[in-house]
Amino acid sequence: MSTLLIIAKAPLAGRAKTRLTPHFTPEQAAELARAALQDTLAAALDAPAERRVLVLDGRPGPWLPEGIETVPQGSGNLDARLAAAFSLVEGPALLIGMDTPQVTPTLLAQGLNFGDTDAWFGPADDGGFWALGLAKPDPALLLGVPMSVAHTGRDQRRRLTSSGRAVRDLPELCDVDTPADAARVAAEAPRTRFATLHDSLCAVAR
């Protein structure tokens, strides 16, 4: 059974997308986080996964659609929480975050297809990664990898190849962390909820 894992934080003011402030208010940053999460979950529902699991820091809200299971995130640093997410599944799994509202069902389908590879790696342009797929999930592949630094992606990919796995790359995407990232992603994916909200907030600010 193939599983799509979405690791996310509940979109609450002061907790979600805090690096978007002070350009946006904490409430606006949370609204943008919610829109990004909704776009991501919509893509997940249209992807060819047999199971879709939201690994959530916080409580589900009215933004959660039907067809998505919800489990709480584990504790510890991000590497430990990502490892814990993979421990929830036995078959092939693709893990993504909520920072790429431009993701499409087609991209997710690619990362769920393990026919000729052991792992999929989706690099982010900030040096991290937006997706990690494993034909045979092994939480140990993530433990100890330094997270949220410029070489996170390089180190994680090296961990995969050093284990002897065949690794293929997904297209590089931009994570929404800063106001500049938000503007870029909104421009690249203008039909998303995220872009619509971003542009309306910026129009009001002007």
Side-chain angles (χ1 to χ4, degrees), residues 3-26:
T3 302
L4 182 57
L5 298 163
I6 306 102
I7 189 158
K9 183 180 292 186
L12 300 176
R15 284 184 48 80
K17 292 296 168 205
T18 55
R19 291 175 63 188
L20 294 180
T21 59
H23 186 86
F24 297 99
T25 68

PDB file of all heavy atoms in Angstrom, residues 3-26:
ATOM      1  N   THR A   3       1.699   5.165   0.537  1.00  0.00           N
ATOM      2  CA  THR A   3       1.241   6.181   1.480  1.00  0.00           C
ATOM      3  C   THR A   3       1.866   7.529   1.160  1.00  0.00           C
ATOM      4  O   THR A   3       3.065   7.617   0.883  1.00  0.00           O
ATOM      5  CB  THR A   3       1.602   5.786   2.925  1.00  0.00           C
ATOM      6  OG1 THR A   3       1.022   4.522   3.242  1.00  0.00           O
ATOM      7  CG2 THR A   3       1.085   6.833   3.910  1.00  0.00           C
ATOM      8  N   LEU A   4       1.050   8.564   1.201  1.00  0.00           N
ATOM      9  CA  LEU A   4       1.531   9.933   1.082  1.00  0.00           C
ATOM     10  C   LEU A   4       1.466  10.556   2.469  1.00  0.00           C
ATOM     11  O   LEU A   4       0.395  10.652   3.074  1.00  0.00           O
ATOM     12  CB  LEU A   4       0.661  10.714   0.095  1.00  0.00           C
ATOM     13  CG  LEU A   4       1.063  12.158  -0.192  1.00  0.00           C
ATOM     14  CD1 LEU A   4       2.492  12.259  -0.697  1.00  0.00           C
ATOM     15  CD2 LEU A   4       0.106  12.766  -1.210  1.00  0.00           C
ATOM     16  N   LEU A   5       2.624  10.932   2.989  1.00  0.00           N
ATOM     17  CA  LEU A   5       2.729  11.556   4.303  1.00  0.00           C
ATOM     18  C   LEU A   5       2.891  13.060   4.127  1.00  0.00           C
ATOM     19  O   LEU A   5       3.741  13.508   3.361  1.00  0.00           O
ATOM     20  CB  LEU A   5       3.943  11.004   5.068  1.00  0.00           C
ATOM     21  CG  LEU A   5       3.942   9.515   5.393  1.00  0.00           C
ATOM     22  CD1 LEU A   5       5.353   9.063   5.761  1.00  0.00           C
ATOM     23  CD2 LEU A   5       2.971   9.221   6.540  1.00  0.00           C
ATOM     24  N   ILE A   6       2.075  13.833   4.835  1.00  0.00           N
ATOM     25  CA  ILE A   6       2.199  15.291   4.802  1.00  0.00           C
ATOM     26  C   ILE A   6       2.506  15.759   6.220  1.00  0.00           C
ATOM     27  O   ILE A   6       1.674  15.603   7.118  1.00  0.00           O
ATOM     28  CB  ILE A   6       0.907  15.966   4.305  1.00  0.00           C
ATOM     29  CG1 ILE A   6       0.466  15.397   2.956  1.00  0.00           C
ATOM     30  CG2 ILE A   6       1.114  17.483   4.208  1.00  0.00           C
ATOM     31  CD1 ILE A   6      -0.668  14.405   3.050  1.00  0.00           C
ATOM     32  N   ILE A   7       3.700  16.286   6.435  1.00  0.00           N
ATOM     33  CA  ILE A   7       4.059  16.754   7.763  1.00  0.00           C
ATOM     34  C   ILE A   7       3.805  18.252   7.823  1.00  0.00           C
ATOM     35  O   ILE A   7       4.211  19.003   6.926  1.00  0.00           O
ATOM     36  CB  ILE A   7       5.516  16.406   8.123  1.00  0.00           C
ATOM     37  CG1 ILE A   7       5.785  16.707   9.592  1.00  0.00           C
ATOM     38  CG2 ILE A   7       6.515  17.087   7.202  1.00  0.00           C
ATOM     39  CD1 ILE A   7       6.954  15.943  10.177  1.00  0.00           C
ATOM     40  N   ALA A   8       3.061  18.689   8.836  1.00  0.00           N
ATOM     41  CA  ALA A   8       2.604  20.072   8.855  1.00  0.00           C
ATOM     42  C   ALA A   8       2.387  20.566  10.281  1.00  0.00           C
ATOM     43  O   ALA A   8       2.313  19.786  11.239  1.00  0.00           O
ATOM     44  CB  ALA A   8       1.305  20.208   8.065  1.00  0.00           C
ATOM     45  N   LYS A   9       2.269  21.879  10.362  1.00  0.00           N
ATOM     46  CA  LYS A   9       1.952  22.551  11.611  1.00  0.00           C
ATOM     47  C   LYS A   9       0.575  23.190  11.460  1.00  0.00           C
ATOM     48  O   LYS A   9       0.271  23.765  10.402  1.00  0.00           O
ATOM     49  CB  LYS A   9       3.009  23.627  11.898  1.00  0.00           C
ATOM     50  CG  LYS A   9       2.834  24.362  13.202  1.00  0.00           C
ATOM     51  CD  LYS A   9       3.942  25.405  13.388  1.00  0.00           C
ATOM     52  CE  LYS A   9       5.296  24.769  13.585  1.00  0.00           C
ATOM     53  NZ  LYS A   9       6.351  25.749  13.897  1.00  0.00           N
ATOM     54  N   ALA A  10      -0.248  23.093  12.486  1.00  0.00           N
ATOM     55  CA  ALA A  10      -1.565  23.725  12.427  1.00  0.00           C
ATOM     56  C   ALA A  10      -1.388  25.227  12.184  1.00  0.00           C
ATOM     57  O   ALA A  10      -0.525  25.861  12.799  1.00  0.00           O
ATOM     58  CB  ALA A  10      -2.335  23.481  13.723  1.00  0.00           C
ATOM     59  N   PRO A  11      -2.178  25.810  11.272  1.00  0.00           N
ATOM     60  CA  PRO A  11      -1.992  27.208  10.890  1.00  0.00           C
ATOM     61  C   PRO A  11      -2.545  28.194  11.919  1.00  0.00           C
ATOM     62  O   PRO A  11      -3.620  28.785  11.741  1.00  0.00           O
ATOM     63  CB  PRO A  11      -2.738  27.296   9.553  1.00  0.00           C
ATOM     64  CG  PRO A  11      -3.817  26.265   9.667  1.00  0.00           C
ATOM     65  CD  PRO A  11      -3.216  25.137  10.466  1.00  0.00           C
ATOM     66  N   LEU A  12      -1.800  28.374  12.984  1.00  0.00           N
ATOM     67  CA  LEU A  12      -2.214  29.273  14.062  1.00  0.00           C
ATOM     68  C   LEU A  12      -1.318  30.495  14.108  1.00  0.00           C
ATOM     69  O   LEU A  12      -0.095  30.396  13.914  1.00  0.00           O
ATOM     70  CB  LEU A  12      -2.148  28.546  15.409  1.00  0.00           C
ATOM     71  CG  LEU A  12      -3.022  27.288  15.551  1.00  0.00           C
ATOM     72  CD1 LEU A  12      -2.767  26.637  16.899  1.00  0.00           C
ATOM     73  CD2 LEU A  12      -4.493  27.631  15.377  1.00  0.00           C
ATOM     74  N   ALA A  13      -1.907  31.648  14.366  1.00  0.00           N
ATOM     75  CA  ALA A  13      -1.150  32.894  14.448  1.00  0.00           C
ATOM     76  C   ALA A  13      -0.076  32.801  15.523  1.00  0.00           C
ATOM     77  O   ALA A  13      -0.342  32.344  16.645  1.00  0.00           O
ATOM     78  CB  ALA A  13      -2.096  34.059  14.755  1.00  0.00           C
ATOM     79  N   GLY A  14       1.122  33.217  15.173  1.00  0.00           N
ATOM     80  CA  GLY A  14       2.233  33.179  16.112  1.00  0.00           C
ATOM     81  C   GLY A  14       2.981  31.869  16.129  1.00  0.00           C
ATOM     82  O   GLY A  14       4.029  31.759  16.765  1.00  0.00           O
ATOM     83  N   ARG A  15       2.449  30.860  15.410  1.00  0.00           N
ATOM     84  CA  ARG A  15       3.103  29.549  15.369  1.00  0.00           C
ATOM     85  C   ARG A  15       3.443  29.102  13.961  1.00  0.00           C
ATOM     86  O   ARG A  15       4.388  28.348  13.756  1.00  0.00           O
ATOM     87  CB  ARG A  15       2.208  28.492  16.039  1.00  0.00           C
ATOM     88  CG  ARG A  15       2.214  28.554  17.548  1.00  0.00           C
ATOM     89  CD  ARG A  15       1.396  27.432  18.162  1.00  0.00           C
ATOM     90  NE  ARG A  15       1.679  26.115  17.607  1.00  0.00           N
ATOM     91  CZ  ARG A  15       2.717  25.356  17.946  1.00  0.00           C
ATOM     92  NH1 ARG A  15       3.592  25.800  18.840  1.00  0.00           N
ATOM     93  NH2 ARG A  15       2.872  24.160  17.400  1.00  0.00           N
ATOM     94  N   ALA A  16       2.670  29.538  12.992  1.00  0.00           N
ATOM     95  CA  ALA A  16       2.862  29.099  11.610  1.00  0.00           C
ATOM     96  C   ALA A  16       3.395  30.238  10.743  1.00  0.00           C
ATOM     97  O   ALA A  16       2.951  31.367  10.852  1.00  0.00           O
ATOM     98  CB  ALA A  16       1.544  28.587  11.035  1.00  0.00           C
ATOM     99  N   LYS A  17       4.383  29.926   9.918  1.00  0.00           N
ATOM    100  CA  LYS A  17       4.965  30.880   8.970  1.00  0.00           C
ATOM    101  C   LYS A  17       5.403  32.181   9.654  1.00  0.00           C
ATOM    102  O   LYS A  17       5.162  33.277   9.153  1.00  0.00           O
ATOM    103  CB  LYS A  17       3.966  31.176   7.848  1.00  0.00           C
ATOM    104  CG  LYS A  17       3.707  29.994   6.943  1.00  0.00           C
ATOM    105  CD  LYS A  17       4.973  29.603   6.216  1.00  0.00           C
ATOM    106  CE  LYS A  17       4.854  28.271   5.521  1.00  0.00           C
ATOM    107  NZ  LYS A  17       6.145  27.621   5.330  1.00  0.00           N
ATOM    108  N   THR A  18       6.077  32.040  10.771  1.00  0.00           N
ATOM    109  CA  THR A  18       6.478  33.226  11.533  1.00  0.00           C
ATOM    110  C   THR A  18       7.533  34.061  10.802  1.00  0.00           C
ATOM    111  O   THR A  18       7.672  35.255  11.068  1.00  0.00           O
ATOM    112  CB  THR A  18       7.016  32.820  12.914  1.00  0.00           C
ATOM    113  OG1 THR A  18       8.085  31.869  12.752  1.00  0.00           O
ATOM    114  CG2 THR A  18       5.913  32.193  13.748  1.00  0.00           C
ATOM    115  N   ARG A  19       8.255  33.454   9.853  1.00  0.00           N
ATOM    116  CA  ARG A  19       9.270  34.216   9.121  1.00  0.00           C
ATOM    117  C   ARG A  19       8.654  35.147   8.074  1.00  0.00           C
ATOM    118  O   ARG A  19       9.348  35.962   7.468  1.00  0.00           O
ATOM    119  CB  ARG A  19      10.263  33.263   8.462  1.00  0.00           C
ATOM    120  CG  ARG A  19      11.159  32.534   9.467  1.00  0.00           C
ATOM    121  CD  ARG A  19      12.041  31.511   8.787  1.00  0.00           C
ATOM    122  NE  ARG A  19      12.967  32.121   7.831  1.00  0.00           N
ATOM    123  CZ  ARG A  19      13.741  31.425   6.999  1.00  0.00           C
ATOM    124  NH1 ARG A  19      13.672  30.094   7.006  1.00  0.00           N
ATOM    125  NH2 ARG A  19      14.555  32.029   6.171  1.00  0.00           N
ATOM    126  N   LEU A  20       7.339  35.056   7.890  1.00  0.00           N
ATOM    127  CA  LEU A  20       6.659  35.991   7.001  1.00  0.00           C
ATOM    128  C   LEU A  20       6.372  37.322   7.681  1.00  0.00           C
ATOM    129  O   LEU A  20       5.993  38.292   7.023  1.00  0.00           O
ATOM    130  CB  LEU A  20       5.344  35.385   6.491  1.00  0.00           C
ATOM    131  CG  LEU A  20       5.465  34.158   5.578  1.00  0.00           C
ATOM    132  CD1 LEU A  20       4.082  33.672   5.159  1.00  0.00           C
ATOM    133  CD2 LEU A  20       6.317  34.465   4.354  1.00  0.00           C
ATOM    134  N   THR A  21       6.530  37.376   8.989  1.00  0.00           N
ATOM    135  CA  THR A  21       6.354  38.631   9.715  1.00  0.00           C
ATOM    136  C   THR A  21       7.716  39.332   9.840  1.00  0.00           C
ATOM    137  O   THR A  21       8.759  38.657   9.842  1.00  0.00           O
ATOM    138  CB  THR A  21       5.780  38.354  11.121  1.00  0.00           C
ATOM    139  OG1 THR A  21       6.682  37.490  11.832  1.00  0.00           O
ATOM    140  CG2 THR A  21       4.426  37.673  11.043  1.00  0.00           C
ATOM    141  N   PRO A  22       7.723  40.666   9.935  1.00  0.00           N
ATOM    142  CA  PRO A  22       6.584  41.588  10.051  1.00  0.00           C
ATOM    143  C   PRO A  22       6.005  42.051   8.721  1.00  0.00           C
ATOM    144  O   PRO A  22       5.126  42.918   8.710  1.00  0.00           O
ATOM    145  CB  PRO A  22       7.202  42.760  10.808  1.00  0.00           C
ATOM    146  CG  PRO A  22       8.611  42.806  10.307  1.00  0.00           C
ATOM    147  CD  PRO A  22       9.016  41.371  10.111  1.00  0.00           C
ATOM    148  N   HIS A  23       6.487  41.524   7.601  1.00  0.00           N
ATOM    149  CA  HIS A  23       5.918  41.925   6.306  1.00  0.00           C
ATOM    150  C   HIS A  23       4.409  41.664   6.295  1.00  0.00           C
ATOM    151  O   HIS A  23       3.634  42.476   5.784  1.00  0.00           O
ATOM    152  CB  HIS A  23       6.599  41.142   5.182  1.00  0.00           C
ATOM    153  CG  HIS A  23       6.196  41.578   3.806  1.00  0.00           C
ATOM    154  ND1 HIS A  23       6.821  42.626   3.160  1.00  0.00           N
ATOM    155  CD2 HIS A  23       5.234  41.117   2.956  1.00  0.00           C
ATOM    156  CE1 HIS A  23       6.264  42.792   1.966  1.00  0.00           C
ATOM    157  NE2 HIS A  23       5.305  41.887   1.819  1.00  0.00           N
ATOM    158  N   PHE A  24       4.014  40.520   6.862  1.00  0.00           N
ATOM    159  CA  PHE A  24       2.611  40.217   7.100  1.00  0.00           C
ATOM    160  C   PHE A  24       2.388  40.147   8.606  1.00  0.00           C
ATOM    161  O   PHE A  24       3.313  39.841   9.360  1.00  0.00           O
ATOM    162  CB  PHE A  24       2.228  38.880   6.462  1.00  0.00           C
ATOM    163  CG  PHE A  24       2.353  38.844   4.965  1.00  0.00           C
ATOM    164  CD1 PHE A  24       3.468  38.275   4.361  1.00  0.00           C
ATOM    165  CD2 PHE A  24       1.359  39.374   4.165  1.00  0.00           C
ATOM    166  CE1 PHE A  24       3.585  38.236   2.970  1.00  0.00           C
ATOM    167  CE2 PHE A  24       1.467  39.344   2.774  1.00  0.00           C
ATOM    168  CZ  PHE A  24       2.581  38.783   2.182  1.00  0.00           C
ATOM    169  N   THR A  25       1.172  40.417   9.048  1.00  0.00           N
ATOM    170  CA  THR A  25       0.869  40.275  10.476  1.00  0.00           C
ATOM    171  C   THR A  25       0.875  38.790  10.833  1.00  0.00           C
ATOM    172  O   THR A  25       0.766  37.926   9.948  1.00  0.00           O
ATOM    173  CB  THR A  25      -0.509  40.857  10.811  1.00  0.00           C
ATOM    174  OG1 THR A  25      -1.530  40.049  10.199  1.00  0.00           O
ATOM    175  CG2 THR A  25      -0.628  42.303  10.331  1.00  0.00           C
ATOM    176  N   PRO A  26       0.987  38.447  12.118  1.00  0.00           N
ATOM    177  CA  PRO A  26       0.921  37.029  12.489  1.00  0.00           C
ATOM    178  C   PRO A  26      -0.367  36.351  12.021  1.00  0.00           C
ATOM    179  O   PRO A  26      -0.351  35.181  11.621  1.00  0.00           O
ATOM    180  CB  PRO A  26       1.008  37.074  14.022  1.00  0.00           C
ATOM    181  CG  PRO A  26       1.793  38.323  14.304  1.00  0.00           C
ATOM    182  CD  PRO A  26       1.335  39.304  13.266  1.00  0.00           C
TER     183      PRO A  26
END
